[in-house]
Amino acid sequence: RYHARDVAIVLASLFKAKTILGTATPSIESYYNATVAKKYGFVEMNVRYNNVLAPEIQLVDLKDKYKRKRMTGHFSDSLLEEIKNTIDGSQQVILFQNRRGFSPIVECETCGHSSQCPNCDVSLTFHRFKNELRCHYCGYNMIMQKSCQACGSASLNKKGFGTEQIQEEISSLLPDVKVSRMDLDTTRGKHGHEKIITAFENNEIDILVGTQMLTKGLDFRNVGLVGIMNADNLLNFPDFRAHERSFQLMHQVAGRAGRTSNQGKVLIQTYNPFHKILQQVSMNDYEAMFHEQFIERQNYKYPPVYRIIKITIKHKDYQKVNLGAEWLATSLRQLFNPYVLGPEFPPVSRIRNQYHKNILLKIPEKQSLNKTKEAILKIKNSFLSIKSFRPIRVLINVDNY
């Protein structure tokens, strides 16, 4: 498995073709290749198309708003006021929440039990529209419980919020406004995606609530305001690319606002307005983000300084996965110590009844990539020649960690 961008670049070089990478938020690797390593030509555009003003970005401190009791549901007074002003000015609003469903956890207030998926290690998300609990990994679903399955108590508490809850809240706060939702649930049907986009373009929808489907490549002429409901759940993710990805996502969703002569506005709700990434998003400062992330990647030996190969072992037998992962890690350590991390269970360690375990291999700059890959394939072949390990799936993921 490889990153599609890298495959495109290699394919182009094989056929002596030209590759153009175009984006408002390049990945750290691409920007490094263009500016530091000078592998790519580099052209920068410092103004938006047609000299349109960049949107004004404001951070809203949720801690302070809750303290002063200025919250209505999940909306701060500032965001609600801006939404009303935008709609009064005949413009449209996009609200971004990177979670679908109504609420991600339904917990019993008496014993603390929450419904779990039988096939995956995740709790079931409540979807109010179908009144069901659903797993977002394997699609398992069951009807919403009236009482706790563990102790029988009827006091169930819904924790967290998704796009469905935001849609419901804003519809009840502003009953005269046309609100629609765009996420995997509403775009599943044939042409579902197109219908929502066309209706929004034709001003049939005033407020569009959505997940990251909304963030890239859509050119809505009449959007005056973008609201990011909760920036913190993007940042606090166990992944070395979490900060880079959240910067890209917020920057891209902010770019949907004010694409004509009127300057757009972006409100980002957060509990931590002084977080460096949020400050960099609000100041539109990609370079500061790049330098900070790059120094961190250098210190902790991550791409683009070191290359990374992730090896995932999958099987339905927990014991087999453990034994297989240990065997693989020991073999890799004999060749590549100290650049082998793991084996380690990922945050969601069981999906569709298959246990996953990851081994991370870091490759320093001077080390030959081809010889490393040959060595890994040799180890993989000897691993699969052991009878008891044959049913285990071994996935090798290059750089696209």
Side-chain angles (χ1 to χ4, degrees):
R1 298 181 176 197
Y2 290 85
H3 196 302
R5 173 200 65 216
D6 299 340
V7 173
I9 292 163
V10 172
L11 202 60
S13 71
L14 290 177
F15 289 98
K16 308 275 184 290
K18 299 273 187 279
T19 317
I20 295 178
L21 305 175
T23 175
T25 51
S27 70
I28 302 282
E29 289 87 334
S30 293
Y31 196 75
Y32 169 83
N33 282 333
T35 55
V36 183
K38 304 279 189 235
K39 281 187 194 170
Y40 306 161
F42 182 55
V43 179
E44 201 171 4
M45 291 177 358
N46 293 319
V47 288
R48 283 175 101 185
Y49 174 70
N50 249 356
N51 281 340
V52 171
L53 287 168
E56 177 196 337
I57 301 175
Q58 285 178 16
L59 299 173
V60 178
D61 187 351
L62 288 178
K63 234 179 8 230
D64 180 57
K65 295 290 182 189
Y66 274 112
K67 207 168 164 184
R68 297 179 183 209
K69 299 198 168 35
R70 288 190 175 166
M71 295 293 290
T72 314
H74 294 102
F75 291 85
S76 59
D77 56 348
S78 341
L79 181 56
L80 269 178
E81 196 180 314
E82 286 297 340
I83 291 173
K84 286 171 187 163
N85 293 345
T86 307
I87 285 164
D88 290 344
S90 309
Q91 282 188 302
Q92 292 165 299
V93 178
I94 286 178
L95 295 175
F96 172 71
Q97 168 61 8
N98 208 17
R99 259 226 177 103
R100 62 194 174 95
F102 189 85
S103 54
I105 299 170
V106 177
E107 193 177 76
C108 170
E109 287 181 343
T110 311
C111 72
H113 173 269
S114 64
S115 298
Q116 302 289 315
C117 172
N119 313 317
C120 313
D121 276 343
V122 286
S123 53
L124 297 171
T125 302
F126 173 50
H127 287 249
R128 177 165 277 186
F129 175 66
K130 288 188 172 172
N131 194 35
E132 67 179 16
L133 294 165
R134 174 178 281 276
C135 171
H136 286 177
Y137 283 87
C138 70
Y140 171 86
N141 57 312
M142 62 196 256
I143 195 93
M144 174 63 184
Q145 304 299 301
K146 292 213 164 39
S147 58
C148 171
Q149 290 169 300
C151 71
S153 159
S155 53
L156 297 176
N157 183 17
K158 298 176 186 71
K159 293 196 163 180
F161 62 101
T163 46
E164 224 179 25
Q165 193 166 338
I166 296 300
Q167 183 188 13
E168 197 169 292
E169 270 183 23
I170 196 72
S171 300
S172 61
L173 289 169
L174 305 169
D176 305 330
V177 170
K178 293 188 283 292
V179 183
S180 193
R181 186 172 94 243
M182 184 168 158
D183 55 27
L184 200 60
D185 301 325
T186 57
T187 56
R188 269 220 171 95
K190 199 177 179 188
H191 307 305
H193 205 257
E194 285 167 40
K195 279 177 193 163
I196 296 169
I197 289 175
T198 311
F200 196 61
E201 277 177 341
N202 296 340
N203 287 346
E204 291 161 27
I205 299 167
D206 298 313
I207 299 176
L208 186 57
V209 182
T211 55
Q212 61 194 35
M213 281 186 177
L214 287 174
T215 55
K216 290 189 178 86
L218 297 170
D219 182 29
F220 299 123
R221 303 269 94 191
N222 198 28
V223 174
L225 174 72
V226 167
I228 297 174
M229 298 306 298
N230 184 354
D232 304 308
N233 61 6
L234 300 171
L235 294 163
N236 306 326
F237 215 72
D239 178 2
F240 74 94
R241 286 201 179 103
H243 285 178
E244 173 194 352
R245 287 204 177 121
S246 40
F247 179 92
Q248 290 172 334
L249 208 55
M250 284 187 270
H251 187 88
Q252 292 277 7
V253 78
R256 300 310 108 212
R259 293 175 76 91
T260 49
S261 51
N262 301 336
Q263 187 183 17
K265 222 174 196 186
V266 180
L267 259 68
I268 301 176
Q269 298 196 140
T270 170
Y271 285 97
N272 187 4
F274 300 108
H275 194 290
K276 276 187 177 163
I277 288 290
L278 296 173
Q279 291 292 329
Q280 286 153 4
V281 170
S282 68
M283 289 158 75
N284 208 349
D285 195 347
Y286 176 86
E287 280 188 16
M289 187 278 295
F290 170 79
H291 290 303
E292 191 187 313
Q293 292 301 312
F294 184 65
I295 289 164
E296 231 169 72
R297 303 272 178 99
Q298 270 180 318
N299 292 343
Y300 297 108
K301 302 183 170 63
Y302 277 110
V305 187
Y306 277 45
R307 304 293 292 276
I308 268 188
I309 292 180
K310 181 172 79 163
I311 299 166
T312 304
I313 291 107
K314 279 180 171 184
H315 194 264
K316 61 178 185 293
D317 184 336
Y318 180 81
Q319 213 53 44
K320 244 184 196 154
V321 168
N322 273 338
L323 287 170
E326 280 305 332
W327 189 97
L328 261 179
T330 311
S331 309
L332 287 164
R333 275 203 180 89
Q334 286 168 0
L335 286 176
F336 301 114
N337 216 17
Y339 298 117
V340 180
L341 299 180
E344 198 61 64
F345 284 110
V348 180
S349 58
R350 184 172 59 109
I351 297 173
R352 295 196 166 102
N353 277 323
Q354 298 250 331
Y355 289 97
H356 290 219
K357 214 163 188 184
N358 294 335
I359 299 168
L360 212 59
L361 179 64
K362 294 181 175 179
I363 306 169
E365 281 175 290
K366 304 283 184 285
Q367 194 170 308
S368 157
L369 293 174
N370 287 338
K371 283 183 180 165
T372 306
K373 288 176 187 176
E374 276 169 25
I376 292 171
L377 289 175
K378 261 187 197 161
I379 290 172
K380 182 187 171 182
N381 291 335
S382 20
F383 175 80
L384 293 176
S385 66
I386 299 168
K387 198 179 173 191
S388 59
F389 291 159
R390 224 167 277 158
I392 297 175
R393 277 193 75 190
V394 180
L395 300 175
I396 297 173
N397 205 333
V398 180
D399 270 341
N400 188 18
Y401 171 61

